[in-house]
Amino acid sequence: MESTRFPPLPPRAALRWSVVRRTVAGLRPGTILELGCGQGAMGSRLATMATYTAVEPDDDSFAAAEARITTHGGTVIHGDHNKAPSGTGYDLVCAFEVLEHIADDAAALEEWLPLVRPGGQLLLSVPADPSRFSRWDELVGHYRRYTADGLRERLTGAGATDTQIVHYGWPLGYLLDVVRDRLAARHAGKVAESAEERTQASGRIYQPRGGLAGAIIQAGIAPFALAQRLQPGRGDGLVAVATRPAA
């Protein structure tokens, strides 16, 4: 079972993985680069689908990710996207819940897209709906949430084409947002001053541990992973895939 083979995913990440897994399987990349892999729960799964490399700047998250991902044949590098091995580019470059942590997201996308080989894809996930910006977003160092149109404009501005965007998380994600905001309230007065510090800590907050937790989460989100496929225009998260032009 996946829950015993891989590190457990938090509920919202498990809903995201349901979309990401199908997307990656459809693209069938030979090489994958993940930017900001956190503690490696998603990366350990991606490492079984292609030749996989990740970068992670946070010290503690890097150590956890390296232990998890190398077991599945992947490589993890301590640093940001500038540390990624250069060459002809990757078939697929991924960044999950990263872009919203960056003050100048347009500049970031302009730096990320050249890491994709011409004709390859950039795969992103971000939180949706600016009106839902909350205490949780502040706690984990988000600068913004996105609309589908706004994210598409950012990708087009960076030079990407053929952008496809779906929402995910309906309807469970909305309940999870309420829970996370209540958890964030418990941290009132303990929030790090800088967005960078909050971002570094974000990947370590409320992460599930152990195979039992993974099995429970996987079983619990299964009907919601199916439900969100029925409403690709609704949900509290966005997954986008865009192409670097071949020319």
Side-chain angles (χ1 to χ4, degrees):
M1 291 181 61
E2 179 179 295
S3 58
T4 58
R5 190 180 171 204
F6 299 110
L9 290 165
R12 188 166 180 270
L15 292 171
R16 185 186 317 128
W17 172 245
S18 178
V19 180
V20 169
R21 177 183 54 78
R22 295 195 311 275
T23 302
V24 175
L27 293 172
R28 301 178 65 183
T31 55
I32 296 175
L33 171 66
E34 184 179 0
L35 307 177
C37 67
Q39 294 191 336
M42 192 86 79
S44 63
R45 291 161 168 81
L46 290 171
T48 66
M49 301 180 75
T51 300
Y52 172 91
T53 304
V55 294
E56 173 51 51
D58 178 66
D59 294 348
D60 292 340
S61 294
F62 163 74
E66 185 178 41
R68 290 172 162 180
I69 290 171
T70 55
T71 301
H72 295 281
T75 300
V76 187
I77 297 167
H78 193 191
D80 63 10
H81 66 282
N82 293 302
K83 295 290 186 178
S86 59
T88 58
Y90 297 84
D91 294 334
L92 181 65
V93 174
C94 306
F96 306 117
E97 310 300 287
V98 175
L99 192 63
E100 67 274 13
H101 291 275
I102 300 174
D104 192 345
D105 56 348
L109 289 173
E110 289 175 359
E111 293 179 4
W112 292 356
L113 192 62
L115 297 170
V116 182
R117 69 162 175 79
Q121 279 75 40
L122 180 63
L123 177 62
L124 307 175
S125 74
V126 295
D129 193 351
S131 69
R132 299 182 65 84
F133 195 91
S134 66
R135 285 181 292 190
W136 177 266
D137 293 288
E138 294 174 355
L139 174 67
V140 297
H142 291 176
Y143 282 95
R144 68 194 73 80
R145 297 174 75 104
Y146 292 83
T147 63
D149 287 344
L151 181 58
R152 182 176 287 104
E153 288 175 5
R154 280 285 189 264
L155 286 163
T156 300
T161 61
D162 302 322
T163 299
Q164 301 177 46
I165 299 176
V166 297
H167 286 72
Y168 75 93
W170 180 90
L172 181 61
Y174 297 120
L175 175 60
L176 294 174
D177 275 353
V178 173
V179 173
R180 294 196 307 179
D181 285 346
R182 291 182 177 177
L183 293 173
R186 297 181 182 179
H187 290 263
K190 301 178 184 178
V191 179
E193 290 187 7
S194 73
E196 181 179 0
E197 290 175 301
R198 296 196 297 272
T199 291
Q200 289 176 349
S202 65
R204 304 190 298 268
I205 296 176
Y206 300 120
Q207 295 295 310
R209 305 286 180 183
L212 178 60
I216 293 171
I217 291 170
Q218 184 174 316
I221 68 97
F224 296 103
L226 177 60
Q228 70 183 6
R229 296 181 67 176
L230 303 176
Q231 294 286 345
R234 299 173 64 185
D236 68 329
L238 299 172
V239 172
V241 59
T243 299
R244 179 184 175 185

